[in-house]
Amino acid sequence: MSSPTPPVPLPGDTKVLSIGLHPSALDYSRMPDGIDEAVLTARIAAGNAALREAGFDAVPCLIGLDPGRAEETVREQLRSHTFGLAMIGGGVRMLPEHTLLFERLVHVLTEAEPGIRLCFNTTPEDTVEALKRWIRR
């Protein structure tokens, strides 16, 4: 059995939709010590700055926990721009209680933007690495 061929990287000027949970949406009682809304807000801002510094054309999209509202927020972005890649943050994907939210986002992205590729980070600090896996620099 042969191994699958990796996908061809996207061009360097690919517009990226960077989706993550708004810091106000999280329950910080479940977070490690030292992580609160102010800390996470600062980490997200630093991650977005790192994307700009690395030359990515990324549009941040912070969402809440309500799947319907989150879906509409993403649809608004999709109406405003054409994206080749969407990054869905770890806060959306990694907690079991957010499974429906994650599913809804995947479906709206693939239905509204056929051919879009998806990538995933685990923290705001590794978003640049997640995009580099898919975009040729």
Side-chain angles (χ1 to χ4, degrees):
M1 182 182 239
S2 65
S3 61
T5 304
V8 175
L10 297 166
D13 62 350
T14 298
K15 188 174 279 298
V16 177
L17 181 60
S18 179
I19 303 169
L21 291 176
H22 193 285
S24 67
L26 296 172
D27 175 4
Y28 291 95
S29 69
R30 298 182 58 190
M31 300 289 182
D33 287 341
I35 303 291
D36 60 18
E37 187 173 340
V39 168
L40 186 56
T41 298
R43 288 175 64 193
I44 291 169
N48 288 335
L51 289 175
R52 287 189 301 277
E53 289 169 18
F56 289 105
D57 185 6
V59 175
C61 181
L62 295 177
I63 59 170
L65 295 175
D66 178 84
R69 287 186 187 161
E71 185 177 316
E72 185 52 37
T73 299
V74 169
R75 285 186 189 281
E76 288 172 16
Q77 290 295 333
L78 295 173
R79 285 191 288 269
S80 299
H81 305 282
T82 299
F83 296 96
L85 181 67
M87 192 288 305
I88 301 175
V92 174
R93 299 182 336 276
M94 295 168 45
L95 297 173
E97 61 268 26
H98 299 161
T99 299
L100 176 61
L101 174 62
F102 179 47
E103 287 177 351
R104 297 265 302 259
L105 293 175
V106 168
H107 289 295
V108 73
L109 288 164
T110 58
E111 290 171 2
E113 196 78 57
I116 197 167
R117 296 208 187 148
L118 304 176
C119 70
F120 310 105
N121 70 357
T122 57
T123 69
E125 292 81 13
D126 68 10
T127 302
V128 169
E129 288 78 22
L131 298 187
K132 284 182 177 179
R133 290 192 297 263
W134 294 99
I135 295 181
R136 181 178 41 238
R137 300 299 307 157

